[in-house]
Amino acid sequence: MPRQTSQRAAKPELLATPMENVGIIDFEIIELLFFAYRDFVSDPDQILDKSGFGRAHHRVVHFVNREPGMTVADLLETLKITKQSLARVLKQLIDSGYIRQVAGPEDRRQRKLYPTQAGRDLALALAEPQSRRIERAFEGASDATRESVKRFLRGMQD
């Protein structure tokens, strides 16, 4: 019986031409977003790395500072992550003194999250280089341009 050659055994064809925009795909915008995100998070990443923290810690510190007293359930919904994903990060931030967890006044099972002064200082230290980067990008731009960018970014969200 002759041996059959599978698709896996055949050498895949090499493609030497770059992908080009097709239909709604705009590779330039996609690449600009990749590079903007990489650079936007690079400064906070360096600050976080000194404490052994990462981007998940940054997001938690940011949103708890933006809405002190938010519940763990609210934070899970905001970040669109599981309880298990949040547990380790939140424990580290609490143990390190950046976040405090307080039982709810009506429902003791409810856990409300508050930043400490150290948590507020960390959030500001992380936001400051990002804000400088944003202001540099908006240099000379009108208020209308700024609003257009906000509208675009909101439109990118689910």
Side-chain angles (χ1 to χ4, degrees), residues 125-139:
L126 297 170
E128 194 268 329
Q130 291 181 317
S131 295
R132 274 198 319 265
R133 189 175 292 278
I134 291 167
E135 285 310 306
R136 249 192 342 263
F138 275 125
E139 196 170 296

Side-chain angles (χ1 to χ4, degrees), residues 17-32:
T17 58
M19 288 192 300
E20 295 185 16
N21 295 347
V22 178
I24 64 164
I25 298 174
D26 185 331
F27 287 113
E28 183 181 11
I29 295 286
I30 291 169
E31 289 165 8
L32 287 169

Side-chain angles (χ1 to χ4, degrees), residues 53-120:
F53 292 158
R55 292 181 187 161
H57 298 85
H58 183 182
R59 288 188 289 273
V60 170
V61 166
H62 174 84
F63 286 106
V64 170
N65 271 279
R66 290 288 290 155
E67 193 180 330
M70 76 185 318
T71 64
V72 170
D74 293 337
L75 185 57
L76 290 170
E77 177 60 27
T78 297
L79 298 176
K80 303 279 191 230
I81 59 173
T82 65
K83 223 185 267 191
Q84 185 178 2
S85 299
L86 178 61
R88 178 187 61 82
V89 169
L90 189 55
K91 182 178 180 348
Q92 288 174 323
L93 290 168
I94 291 168
D95 291 349
S96 299
Y98 293 105
I99 302 284
R100 288 221 25 235
Q101 186 171 265
V102 178
E106 294 89 33
D107 183 350
R108 305 295 290 163
R109 295 171 298 175
Q110 188 180 52
R111 295 174 294 153
K112 292 184 170 273
L113 303 171
Y114 294 89
T116 63
Q117 187 58 56
R120 176 67 47 93

Side-chain angles (χ1 to χ4, degrees), residues 35-47:
F35 296 136
Y37 179 74
R38 176 200 64 196
D39 295 346
F40 184 70
V41 297
S42 67
D43 300 314
D45 282 352
Q46 289 176 0
I47 295 167

